[in-house]
Amino acid sequence: MTSDRNGTRRRQAAGGAVTLSDVARAAGVSLATASRAINGSANRAVGNELRQRVLATAERLGYSPNAHAQAMARGQTATLGLIVHDIADPYFSAIAAGVTEAADEAELIVTLANTHHDAERELQYVRTLQNQRARAIILVGARQNDGEANLRLRRALDAYQARGGTVATVSQAILGVNVLRVDNERAGADLARALHGLGYRRFALLTGPTDNLTADERTRGFRRAAEELGVPVPGERLVASPLTRDGGYAAMRELLGRDTGADLVFAVTDVMALGALTAARESGTVVPDDVALAGFDDIATLQDVTPALTTVRIPLRDMGRQVTRLALAPAEEGPLEVHVTGEVVVRASTPPR
Amino acid sequence: MTSDRNGTRRRQAAGGAVTLSDVARAAGVSLATASRAINGSANRAVGNELRQRVLATAERLGYSPNAHAQAMARGQTATLGLIVHDIADPYFSAIAAGVTEAADEAELIVTLANTHHDAERELQYVRTLQNQRARAIILVGARQNDGEANLRLRRALDAYQARGGTVATVSQAILGVNVLRVDNERAGADLARALHGLGYRRFALLTGPTDNLTADERTRGFRRAAEELGVPVPGERLVASPLTRDGGYAAMRELLGRDTGADLVFAVTDVMALGALTAARESGTVVPDDVALAGFDDIATLQDVTPALTTVRIPLRDMGRQVTRLALAPAEEGPLEVHVTGEVVVRASTPPR
DNA sequence: TTGTAAGCGTTATCAA
DNA sequence: TTGATAACGCTTACAA
């Protein structure tokens, strides 16, 4: 009788959900006791008999705790926001798999958002996650070199963090945010040296978009090393394109059309390398006989491609787990930075020459 | 002064979020007015001057509406639950991409869960989504032929729907739930006929797990047609395995070891077919010269594999969009059922013979 | 161990 | 057009 004074019209919640009050009343206990029995939170109390009765009643009535009400009352949620560019891309889906695994272990629910490289959407998602009071946000994917957009994102993330949320990214360091940093530049250089060691001299690069920082780092590392080795990459052997399979395909066609005499093509992502491989095949260019090919990431699909592709392996799934750990780490004074180093894996697409 | 009577100790919400009350107070208007100004819901009111003032104040204070409070007050959420077996699998990630696209358009946020084929987890996720009061739940992935587990899931979904949620699945019909149904059996039969037409006679099947209904349908359709064509598939040419790349790999090795003289191998999913392809290659068996190979799904990665794989195409991404539409469809008296028909795509892995 | 009641931040109803 | 104020369903001091 207490909670529903003078039979006021209660907005008949669509579907008429059973509330904790209903359970308490039916079990003949107070709301507080019911809450404790069902939750048994920090300070466990509730005598065994009552607890059993409450639990049985809840079960019988089909009680389902309202997570929103709990979130309000507790002042915190069990939600983790995951923002990627495109979940259909094997690079992102592998990382996402790691994130969901780790989130599962931490009993967190994952909210997934795809930006499709749209900075505006990304910002929008951050705001939405902020509104959800998500406990942490994980941003996967290269920052674009767009000062204005980055600044706005940065501000949104700052606001989010000021409210007690934590943020972690897989990408370049955004000031003030935990980051899992792939050492793209160094790995790119390592790759160039390894290939040089195999006898390659006339490198070509499918660089991805010019304003993409990850692509840029890989490109830069590779070119720098090439230069140091005395085999600089001339401009005509650089082709930009979207960071997708089709982008790689188109870029490779372009490159082959230029007839630059390259003996090796480095595509800055495996997904692009796959497109490039097909482009080569379709144009009658044999990999690796006519031209060698290397990628970056070591995505799962590489396993079943011929020739097997040389690449730089980064542990995608595990990175998902690591970045989740980073996102859930207790707030330090400064942002955390964890490094991941890529490992060159030489396969059949780049035989000694 | 109203909301905070006699300076009671307010649980200093971690991070001290700005509430609508704060905005209202700072703007010198009532809570109700502030709410209306910021939301402009159904009955828009609020004079222009006040609205501007409120909006400006909200902006200035960095107000972020609490989605949980809104959910409580409104009695509904903007969440869509998506349950898949494994987001890293290109089949699921392609569908997930379609779902997130459609969800975006409907202004819904997507909560992602991976079951890894564990019925218990699946059930758990349904309950969690129920607790979140998710507006709809999408289940992607074959049901296993486990009566007990299915019954429990069914009950959980019934309870969810009784509370006003809607459910849609990509799989076999679970009684009482909207379903996007792939005509696996027919497509399997179509494939068998097409291959027979190309001259193949000694079929072998990598069937996937025996208790997986989707795999079973594809297998059954294929075998039935083969039988009708007078070329039944003997038991020794059937190999079961998990529905994964590694499962396909292992199954193919097993099959090759048996030396059954098969002229064509049908793997019930492309992912398995990819593993099988590599297994063949490693054992020195040339596809398609020594044995032909076909899969099912037409996942994106197939584009860049050699030889190009014959398969049954189903529009994965679009299926994601369709099942979302189904999940958001207004409740009918009976559950909806939409059919998707697969299309046989013959490629280089099964040349005429 | 159990109960009472004050929040949590909105929306929506009813008056003004 | 605006303002009070009662829900929404739960957790958690504080009392008993």
Side-chain angles (χ1 to χ4, degrees):
Chain A
M1 257 348 90
T2 1
S3 69
D4 200 2
R5 44 190 158 232
N6 69 321
T8 173
R9 39 202 146 26
R10 38 181 358 175
R11 196 184 333 157
Q12 182 72 10
V18 178
T19 73
L20 189 57
S21 290
D22 298 331
V23 175
R25 195 176 315 134
V29 302
S30 78
L31 187 55
T33 301
S35 172
R36 293 174 187 129
I38 291 184
N39 246 283
S41 61
N43 48 349
R44 14 75 144 292
V46 187
N48 218 317
E49 189 207 0
L50 275 196
R51 148 178 287 116
Q52 297 306 331
R53 186 161 14 126
V54 171
L55 258 28
T57 312
E59 174 69 30
R60 179 165 57 80
L61 300 185
Y63 170 69
S64 149
N66 184 317
H68 299 291
Q70 294 183 316
M72 291 234 43
R74 292 182 182 148
Q76 65 156 300
T77 59
T79 300
L80 175 70
L82 172 61
I83 302 182
V84 302
H85 285 322
D86 177 13
I87 193 64
D89 181 318
Y91 170 85
F92 292 109
S93 68
I95 293 179
V99 170
T100 53
E101 273 178 20
D104 244 39
E105 287 163 19
E107 310 221 304
L108 258 31
I109 268 197
V110 174
T111 286
L112 173 70
N114 287 255
T115 66
H116 296 286
H117 292 275
D118 179 340
E120 200 49 50
R121 279 195 185 186
E122 188 172 45
L123 191 61
Q124 196 50 58
Y125 284 130
V126 169
R127 298 225 170 93
T128 299
L129 289 168
Q130 153 94 271
N131 295 351
Q132 307 290 329
R133 302 299 187 260
R135 188 176 301 178
I137 296 181
I138 295 178
L139 277 158
V140 185
R143 307 281 72 232
Q144 282 172 272
N145 193 3
D146 175 345
E148 167 65 19
N150 280 350
L151 185 62
R152 293 173 59 178
L153 177 63
R154 161 102 198 268
R155 270 208 282 262
L157 293 177
D158 280 352
Y160 174 72
Q161 295 191 108
R163 303 288 198 274
T166 55
V167 180
T169 74
V170 178
S171 76
Q172 292 67 37
I174 304 179
L175 243 50
V177 162
N178 294 342
V179 60
L180 185 64
R181 206 148 170 15
V182 175
D183 207 336
N184 290 307
E185 192 161 342
R186 190 177 103 175
D190 286 350
L191 179 63
R193 281 189 286 267
L195 295 169
H196 183 268
L198 288 170
Y200 295 95
R201 296 293 181 268
R202 296 189 308 283
F203 298 141
L205 271 70
L206 311 189
T207 65
T210 50
D211 60 354
N212 182 297
L213 294 181
T214 293
D216 195 48
E217 290 171 1
R218 295 178 182 179
T219 299
R220 194 163 47 228
F222 192 99
R223 292 190 69 185
R224 179 174 48 72
E227 202 164 319
E228 288 169 6
L229 291 163
V231 291
V233 185
E236 60 161 3
R237 292 210 213 106
L238 298 173
V239 185
S241 76
L243 224 46
T244 60
R245 183 267 176 200
D246 290 348
Y249 179 90
M252 187 64 164
R253 288 189 75 91
E254 166 70 21
L255 179 69
L256 292 173
R258 288 187 195 167
D259 196 18
T260 61
D263 59 5
L264 179 135
V265 176
F266 167 43
V268 296
T269 71
D270 283 341
V271 167
M272 289 179 62
L274 289 177
L277 181 61
T278 298
R281 182 178 301 125
E282 288 183 8
S283 76
T285 306
V286 178
V287 175
D289 301 357
D290 299 331
V291 66
L293 181 62
F296 200 117
D297 289 337
D298 201 27
I299 58 175
T301 23
L302 247 47
Q303 292 180 92
D304 304 309
V305 162
T306 16
L309 284 184
T310 289
T311 190
V312 175
R313 169 181 301 154
I314 50 177
L316 297 171
R317 192 170 201 123
D318 190 60
M319 283 165 57
R321 302 184 60 98
Q322 283 196 60
V323 73
T324 306
R325 215 168 300 135
L326 222 41
L328 265 25
E332 302 282 324
E333 51 256 47
L336 273 30
E337 184 162 336
V338 171
H339 282 255
V340 173
T341 54
E343 178 200 358
V344 174
V345 182
V346 175
R347 300 203 180 102
S349 68
T350 60
R353 143 174 257 269
Chain B
M1 265 336 99
T2 2
S3 69
D4 201 3
R5 44 188 158 232
N6 71 321
T8 174
R9 43 200 154 12
R10 39 180 0 176
R11 195 182 332 157
Q12 183 70 13
V18 178
T19 73
L20 190 55
S21 290
D22 298 332
V23 175
R25 195 175 317 134
V29 302
S30 77
L31 187 56
T33 301
S35 174
R36 292 174 187 127
I38 291 184
N39 245 283
S41 62
N43 48 349
R44 10 78 143 289
V46 187
N48 220 318
E49 188 208 1
L50 275 196
R51 147 177 288 114
Q52 296 307 332
R53 182 153 28 117
V54 172
L55 259 28
T57 312
E59 174 69 30
R60 178 165 58 81
L61 299 185
Y63 169 70
S64 148
N66 184 316
H68 298 291
Q70 294 182 316
M72 292 234 38
R74 292 182 180 147
Q76 66 155 302
T77 58
T79 299
L80 176 70
L82 173 60
I83 303 181
V84 302
H85 286 321
D86 177 13
I87 194 65
D89 180 319
Y91 170 84
F92 292 108
S93 68
I95 293 179
V99 170
T100 52
E101 274 178 20
D104 245 39
E105 287 163 18
E107 310 221 308
L108 259 29
I109 74 176
V110 174
T111 286
L112 173 71
N114 288 256
T115 67
H116 295 287
H117 288 95
D118 179 339
E120 201 50 49
R121 279 195 185 187
E122 187 173 45
L123 191 61
Q124 196 50 57
Y125 284 131
V126 169
R127 297 226 171 93
T128 300
L129 290 168
Q130 153 93 272
N131 294 351
Q132 307 290 330
R133 302 296 187 261
R135 188 177 300 179
I137 296 181
I138 295 178
L139 277 156
V140 185
R143 308 281 69 233
Q144 282 172 269
N145 192 4
D146 175 344
E148 167 65 20
N150 281 349
L151 186 62
R152 293 173 57 179
L153 177 62
R154 162 100 198 270
R155 269 207 282 264
L157 293 177
D158 280 352
Y160 173 72
Q161 294 190 108
R163 303 289 200 272
T166 56
V167 180
T169 75
V170 178
S171 78
Q172 292 68 37
I174 303 179
L175 243 49
V177 163
N178 296 341
V179 59
L180 184 65
R181 208 154 170 8
V182 176
D183 207 336
N184 289 307
E185 193 161 342
R186 190 177 104 174
D190 286 350
L191 179 64
R193 280 188 287 267
L195 295 169
H196 184 270
L198 289 170
Y200 294 96
R201 296 293 180 268
R202 297 189 307 282
F203 297 142
L205 271 70
L206 310 188
T207 65
T210 51
D211 61 352
N212 182 295
L213 295 180
T214 294
D216 196 48
E217 290 172 0
R218 295 178 182 179
T219 299
R220 197 164 45 230
F222 191 98
R223 292 189 69 186
R224 178 172 50 68
E227 203 164 317
E228 289 169 5
L229 291 164
V231 292
V233 184
E236 61 162 2
R237 290 208 215 108
L238 298 174
V239 185
S241 76
L243 224 45
T244 59
R245 184 267 177 199
D246 290 348
Y249 179 89
M252 188 64 163
R253 287 189 76 91
E254 165 71 21
L255 179 70
L256 292 173
R258 288 186 195 168
D259 197 19
T260 62
D263 59 5
L264 178 136
V265 177
F266 167 43
V268 297
T269 70
D270 283 341
V271 167
M272 290 179 61
L274 289 178
L277 181 61
T278 297
R281 181 177 302 126
E282 288 182 8
S283 76
T285 306
V286 178
V287 176
D289 301 356
D290 300 330
V291 66
L293 181 61
F296 199 119
D297 289 336
D298 200 26
I299 57 175
T301 22
L302 248 47
Q303 293 181 91
D304 304 308
V305 163
T306 14
L309 283 184
T310 290
T311 191
V312 174
R313 169 181 302 154
I314 50 178
L316 298 171
R317 193 173 201 120
D318 190 60
M319 283 165 56
R321 302 184 61 98
Q322 282 195 60
V323 74
T324 306
R325 217 168 298 135
L326 223 40
L328 266 23
E332 302 281 324
E333 50 257 46
L336 273 32
E337 185 163 336
V338 171
H339 282 254
V340 173
T341 55
E343 178 201 357
V344 174
V345 182
V346 176
R347 300 203 180 101
S349 68
T350 62
R353 149 168 251 270

